[in-house]
Amino acid sequence: MKKRNCLILLACCLLLTACTPADDLASVPEPTPESSASASEGLSIPSAERSEAELSDRARDWSADLNYLKRNYKMYHENPFYLCSEEEFNWKLDQLAAKVDDLTDNDIYFELAAVMAGMGDIHTSVLEPDCIYDEVFPVLICCFGDQVYLSGYLKGYEQFEPYLLREIVAVNGVDITYLKQKAGSFISPINSWFSKERFGTLQCFVPAFFDWAGCGYKEGYTLQILNENREVESVEVPVISLEEYTKTDAVYPDKWLSIPFLYAYSYDWTEYYKTENGEYVYLNLGKMDNLSDVYYRELFEKTAELVRTHPGCDKLVVDLRSNPGGYLKVHDYVREGIQMLKEVPAKQVFVVSGGYTTSAAMECLSMFKKELGAVTVGEPTGQFTSFFDYFSNQYGIKLILPQSRISIQIANGWHEGSPIAENYYNENGSLYEWENTVLPDAFVYQDIEDIRQGKDSVIEWVLAQ
C-alpha cells in the first residue's frame, strides 16, 4: 500500500487543488536578457537606500525575479487584486526583496508562498522547488480536530511504534498550534480547514519548513508527544533522504488499516458494507483526473447495482473528503452517473466533505445535493462554490521566475459555481473574504478515539440516522 501522505503530496504537486494538471498550463514566454537585466529597476528596497551596486548578486537576482512577478501576475491573473490590494502586494514583495541576504533559498520559497497565498486564491500558488525535499522525516502525521497525531512511520524506524496515534504537541519545543498557523500563512490564510488538511502533507512536515517556522535554532529535531498518560515525551526524529522515504514502506496502526477512507484515501471506488451498526453503499470519489467516460460509467453502474442488489440497505454515502478536484470535464460524467442513481434511489443520500474538498469537487458536491437531495456531513470544505480557476483555452498560466527558476501557477479564469450556499457580493462585485468555504448540514469530526477503535466517525453518525 502506498503511503497516504505521499498520495496527497502527489495530488498537490500536480494540481494544488487545480482543475487541470500543471503540465497543461500555458507557460509565460521567457524574458529576453534585456528585460531580465532591467527587471530590478523601480523595485524599492525599504530597509535602506541602497544603490544597485551595493546589492549582492543574490539580492539583485531576487529583485529582478520579484519585479518580474509583479508585472506578470498583474498581467495574467483573471482579477489579481480581488482581496489584496496592489499596494499591499507590492509592499510585501519589496519587504521580501530587502531581506533575501538573511534568508536561505528554502526560507525565500516559504516567504514568497505566503505572499501569494495572501492573495486569497488557492489556484494561484508557488510550486515547491526540489530543494524543499532535500531532507525529510521517516514519520507521517494526520490532523483530527485541532490536534496533530503521529499516524505512521517507515519500516526500520520502529522506535516510533509506541507513539502511533499519539498527539504531537510541539516540535523542538515550539507549540504545534503556532506551527499550524505558520503553515496556514503560506497554504491558505483565509481557510483554516484547507490549511489543516495540507499541514499533514509532506510539504509542511519537513525540516525546511520547521527551520523557517522557528525550530531551526536547535541542532536536530525532536517531537514532543503525549504518551498514554498524557505526559510529554521528547522523541528524536532522524533526517533522511527523499529517495529513502519514497522507496520504503510505511507502517500504520492495525486499526487505521481497517478504516476504508484512510486506507484507500485518494482512489475512486465503490463497495457495500454491512456492520454491527447497519449497512450502506459507499462511493469514494478521490479525485477527478480520469477523462474516460467509460471509467466513470462503470463506477456509477457498479454503485447503482450495489444499491439495487441490497434492498435492505437504504443509505448511500458519497465521500469527497480526499477530492481536491481535477478536470471540470468530469462533471459531465458525474452528472450522467447521478442519473443512474436516480433510477435506483436510496432512501438517504449523504455526501461527506472536508477541508481537502476543493475546486471541481465543489461542483460534485452541488450536484449530489441538488439532484439527489443529499445531506452534507463532515467538516467545512476547503473552498467556496465560486472561485478562481485554470480556465479558458490555456488552462491557466505557469510563470517561471527568470533567475531562481521558481514556478508560479496563476489562475486565469473564474468558475461561478452552483449556489448551494447563499453568497453575498460587495459593492465591487467580489465575494467577501469570509465567503471561502461551504458548511456541512451536519458537523461531524473524526474523533481520535474512533480511529483507535477502527471506526470512521462520519460513517458511525450516518448509520445512526
Side-chain angles (χ1 to χ4, degrees), residues 5 47 172 196 314 449:
N5 292 61
S47 61
N172 278 10
K196 182 187 77 169
D314 62 356
E449 291 306 322

Side-chain angles (χ1 to χ4, degrees), residues 268 283 285 287-301 327-341 364 367-368:
D268 299 326
L283 171 61
L285 291 176
K287 47 192 172 182
M288 303 175 67
D289 62 350
N290 194 316
L291 287 178
S292 168
D293 60 336
V294 175
Y295 174 86
Y296 287 99
R297 187 183 308 120
E298 292 178 348
L299 181 67
F300 278 91
E301 283 177 348
Y327 286 100
L328 286 170
K329 175 64 178 176
V330 176
H331 289 157
D332 295 336
Y333 309 146
V334 173
R335 191 173 290 107
E336 293 173 5
I338 288 176
Q339 299 312 309
M340 299 181 198
L341 297 180
C364 280
M367 286 190 286
F368 279 103

Side-chain angles (χ1 to χ4, degrees), residues 61 130 139 198 213 218 221 225 306 331 338 344 350 374 399 404 411 422 427-428 432 445:
D61 286 346
D130 292 341
V139 296
R198 290 292 304 280
K218 294 182 178 180
Y221 302 90
I225 305 181
L306 289 172
H331 289 157
I338 288 176
V344 286
F350 302 89
L399 184 68
S404 64
E422 194 169 5
E427 65 277 8
N428 298 319
Y432 289 99
Y445 308 103

Side-chain angles (χ1 to χ4, degrees), residues 1-173:
M1 183 195 71
K2 294 184 178 180
K3 294 183 279 292
R4 174 177 183 259
N5 292 61
C6 280
L7 291 171
I8 301 175
L9 172 64
L10 290 174
C12 294
C13 290
L14 287 173
L15 305 176
L16 204 56
T17 68
C19 283
T20 53
D23 288 345
D24 288 338
L25 298 178
S27 294
V28 174
E30 292 288 338
T32 63
E34 290 79 8
S35 64
S36 177
S38 62
S40 60
E41 293 178 7
L43 183 65
S44 61
I45 305 299
S47 61
E49 294 294 331
R50 294 187 293 171
S51 67
E52 186 78 7
E54 292 178 301
L55 296 176
S56 68
D57 290 342
R58 186 166 180 267
R60 192 177 297 111
D61 286 346
W62 273 109
S63 294
D65 274 358
L66 298 178
N67 205 49
Y68 180 76
L69 173 59
K70 282 183 184 180
R71 296 196 311 273
N72 285 278
Y73 171 70
K74 180 179 180 179
M75 181 184 304
Y76 290 106
H77 195 279
E78 172 72 10
N79 188 347
F81 308 112
Y82 192 82
L83 290 180
C84 178
S85 70
E86 183 174 5
E87 293 74 19
E88 183 178 355
F89 176 66
N90 290 341
W91 180 84
K92 288 179 178 179
L93 291 180
D94 288 347
Q95 292 291 310
L96 177 55
K99 60 182 181 181
V100 294
D101 281 335
D102 298 322
L103 302 173
T104 67
D105 288 346
N106 287 340
D107 291 339
I108 294 174
Y109 156 72
F110 289 111
E111 295 279 342
L112 184 56
V115 172
M116 300 311 297
M119 306 311 287
D121 166 22
I122 65 173
H123 282 93
T124 294
S125 58
V126 185
L127 303 183
E128 310 96 89
D130 292 341
C131 60
I132 295 297
Y133 305 112
D134 285 346
E135 296 180 331
V136 296
F137 297 127
V139 296
L140 301 94
I141 67 162
C142 257
C143 300
F144 297 118
D146 292 328
Q147 282 73 47
V148 178
Y149 297 89
L150 185 71
S151 60
Y153 60 87
L154 302 188
K155 286 184 178 179
Y157 295 91
E158 280 69 28
Q159 66 265 38
F160 296 104
E161 174 71 28
Y163 304 102
L164 286 176
L165 298 184
R166 295 298 164 191
E167 184 181 352
I168 301 172
V169 295
V171 178
N172 278 10

